[in-house]
Every structure is written in C-alpha cells, then in structure tokens.
Amino acid sequence: MRNAESVASTETKREPRQGSVLDRINPVALAVAGSGCTSATGVFVKLSGANTGTAAFLRCGLALFLLVPMAAAELRRIGPRARRLLGLDAAAGLLLGVDYVFWAASIQHVGAGMATVLLNIQVVAFPLLAWVFLGDRAPLRLLLAVPVMLAGVALTAGVFNPAGSTGAVPDGDPWLGLAYGCAAGATYAGYLFLSRLAGGQGHTVTPVCVSTAAATLAAGVLGALWSGIDLASLDARAWMWLALLALTGQVLTWLLVGSALPRLPASTGAAILVLPPVLAVAMAAVFLGERVTPVQLAGCVLVVLAIWLSQRRSPRSGQST
C-alpha cells in the first residue's frame, strides 16, 4: 500500500499516533478502508484528465496543505527530528516522486487497474533491496515469489495479448506500460527501503510530510521534463479529482493503514495487502469501464499469488519460511 507501508514498517505500537480516535476503531476495518483509498487513486488520476507530470506533482503538492500543519503540531508536541533521519526522509521522498511519475505514465498505457497491479512488484523488490544492502536473509517464500511476480506483471501489462492491445487501453503500448509500471514499483521499493532505515523514532507525521515535500520537488522536475506541468487547463472537476487523489493516496491511506497494521497479526496484515490490486481492477471496471483480457486477468491472479507467497508464514513455527 502506497506510503502507509513505510509507516507500518517503521513504527512500534508504543509510539504516539496522530488521531487517537483511530486507535479505538477496529484495525481490520481501518486497513480495509485504507486499501480502498489506495485502490481508488488510479481511478482519480484517469478521471482528472491531467497529464502524467501534472497528476504526479499535484498528488504530492496538494497533500502538503494537510500534512504541514499536522507535522508542525507533532514537532511542537514531540520535539525536532534528527537531521540524519530528515535526510533519509527526503531521499526517500525523491524516489517517491519519481515513482508517481512512472506510475501515472503507466496508467496511460495499461489503464488504472492494471497499473496498480503492476506497482505491486515492490512486494518482492523491497525485501531484495534489504537482502542486498542490509544482509537480511532472503527467505524461500521470497525466492518462490519472484518468478511468479515477474510472470504476473508481464501478463498483466498485456504484452502477450493476441491482438497486441492492453485491453483497458486499446491504443496503449503494453511494453511501455510494463516498463513504466516496473520502474514505478522499483522506485517505490527504494522509497520503502530508505523509510525503513530512517524509522519513525517517535515521529509519525513528520517523516511523511518531509518525504511528500521532496516527492513534490522530484515529481515537479521529472514531470515538467516528461509531459509538462499544466495547471492552466485544469477545470473545477479536474481539481476536485486531483484533490481527492491527494487526500486518499497521500494522506488517508497513510493515516488509516498506518494506524491499523501495527495492531494486526502479521497474517491478517499480509492478507490485506492482497486487496489493493483486486480492488483497483474492480474499481477501474466499474467507474471507468475498463475491460481487461483473460490473459491480463490471469496475470492479476499470479500477482496476487506472488503477494501471498512473499507474505506467507510457516504454519508450524509462526515464522516466515
């Protein structure tokens, strides 16, 4: 889940959280709601009609209007965050901004639902980074998940469709969609990796706010080079969808899932990670009329299977296999 995963992986149960009301709500309900928020982001990008750079830039920039005052309140309550950690937060955010541009670009070629499915390559890319750079052991479940995930994302992008179309986007380029989607997943995994290194250290909102500010910069620069940042042509409806994109994808997802996952058993949290790609495909079909081919649906099934394999626990020991 976008952005929320970094919070869930770096916080502990004893750290103070923004919004104590959420801590009294059933964590399963919060996590499912958060999955719905992150699943809807692709739909909002498509409905806004904004180009790649504009959608990525405003997703971050508009979220700052909520995150900055929240972070300021947290800093007054907890105190400053170490400069080294702020640097890691900013570096993670730069990767996040690049991720958003690639992901928005993939939507133009494979559709909102399929682009969200492709993004889930981060599920195996993130632990691989931890294996290479931190020496974390790569469990058997991860090694099994890698080929399944690679096959799944290739089928999902539509590169093996008989007619050569992506299904949801008849004039899209499935190879470009696949390349952009995998690049988005890889850079998002880098964001999660650096966020893990930074850790929460008692701060919940501040790391997300700093990362979002850096992501705004990265998305603005890369987006301007990619497609341009076109604010003048956006009408009121486009601004509404982009505001919803920022609220759900950059604020609510983090707030809901970040509060829920640390309070859930690992097996339950892992199962909920399967929801976003499934919900994204369903939402794209309902709200955008995107129709995918049987080959792409088979790819979605493989991606979900890879997520399950990567998160599976040993039934005998309760530990990762």
Side-chain angles (χ1 to χ4, degrees), residues 220-277:
V221 173
L222 181 58
L225 296 173
W226 192 293
S227 64
I229 306 296
D230 183 10
L231 304 181
S233 65
L234 298 178
D235 57 17
R237 179 171 176 157
W239 280 105
M240 178 192 71
W241 291 122
L242 291 169
L244 284 173
L245 171 65
L247 176 64
T248 57
Q250 201 64 22
V251 179
L252 278 183
T253 294
W254 154 74
L255 194 61
L256 296 173
V257 184
S259 174
L261 285 187
R263 295 189 283 138
L264 289 173
S267 58
T268 304
I272 290 174
L273 287 177
V274 176
L275 289 178

Side-chain angles (χ1 to χ4, degrees), residues 2-304:
R2 304 182 70 87
N3 210 36
E5 289 174 330
S6 63
V7 177
S9 66
T10 57
E11 291 182 333
T12 63
K13 293 181 181 179
R14 55 200 174 121
E15 288 178 354
R17 295 187 182 282
Q18 183 75 16
S20 59
V21 173
L22 291 178
D23 292 332
R24 297 195 292 269
I25 299 176
N26 186 300
V28 174
L30 289 178
V32 171
S35 296
C37 287
T38 197
S39 302
T41 54
V43 173
F44 294 152
V45 169
K46 201 77 175 286
L47 288 174
S48 74
N51 64 31
T52 296
T54 305
F57 173 71
L58 289 179
R59 173 176 184 165
C60 304
L62 293 177
L64 289 175
F65 286 96
L66 289 176
L67 290 173
V68 167
M70 292 170 66
E74 180 179 79
L75 290 172
R76 286 195 298 270
R77 186 178 71 254
I78 298 176
R81 184 165 167 80
R83 290 184 180 180
R84 181 184 66 84
L85 300 180
L86 289 173
L88 286 172
D89 296 336
L94 292 176
L95 289 176
L96 186 64
V98 174
D99 156 46
Y100 285 158
V101 173
F102 277 121
W103 180 69
S106 72
I107 291 175
Q108 309 302 321
H109 291 283
V110 297
M114 295 296 101
T116 304
V117 174
L118 291 177
L119 184 72
N120 283 273
I121 198 172
Q122 61 87 12
V123 172
V124 296
F126 171 68
L128 287 176
L129 287 174
W131 179 26
V132 171
F133 292 102
L134 299 181
D136 289 0
R137 182 177 65 89
L140 177 61
R141 60 182 169 81
L142 174 62
L143 300 179
L144 292 173
V146 171
V148 177
M149 177 66 78
L150 293 177
V153 296
L155 293 174
T156 295
V159 297
F160 298 119
N161 281 351
S165 86
T166 61
V169 185
D171 58 346
D173 186 327
W175 287 103
L176 279 179
L178 174 62
Y180 295 155
C182 289
T187 50
Y188 182 52
Y191 160 74
L192 293 177
F193 177 73
L194 292 179
S195 294
R196 175 186 174 186
L197 289 181
Q201 302 296 319
H203 293 87
T204 301
V205 188
T206 304
V208 178
C209 183
V210 173
S211 293
T212 301
T216 303
L217 175 62
V221 173
L222 181 58
L225 296 173
W226 192 293
S227 64
I229 306 296
D230 183 10
L231 304 181
S233 65
L234 298 178
D235 57 17
R237 179 171 176 157
W239 280 105
M240 178 192 71
W241 291 122
L242 291 169
L244 284 173
L245 171 65
L247 176 64
T248 57
Q250 201 64 22
V251 179
L252 278 183
T253 294
W254 154 74
L255 194 61
L256 296 173
V257 184
S259 174
L261 285 187
R263 295 189 283 138
L264 289 173
S267 58
T268 304
I272 290 174
L273 287 177
V274 176
L275 289 178
V278 176
L279 290 176
V281 173
M283 289 182 179
V286 172
F287 296 106
L288 300 176
E290 291 186 357
R291 296 293 180 264
V292 297
T293 67
V295 173
Q296 288 178 292
L297 286 177
C300 293
V301 172
L302 287 179
V303 169
V304 170

Side-chain angles (χ1 to χ4, degrees), residues 123 141 145 270-271 274 303-313:
V123 172
R141 60 182 169 81
V274 176
V303 169
V304 170
L305 176 61
I307 296 173
W308 178 81
L309 282 173
S310 69
Q311 303 296 321
R312 186 168 62 90
R313 301 276 171 171

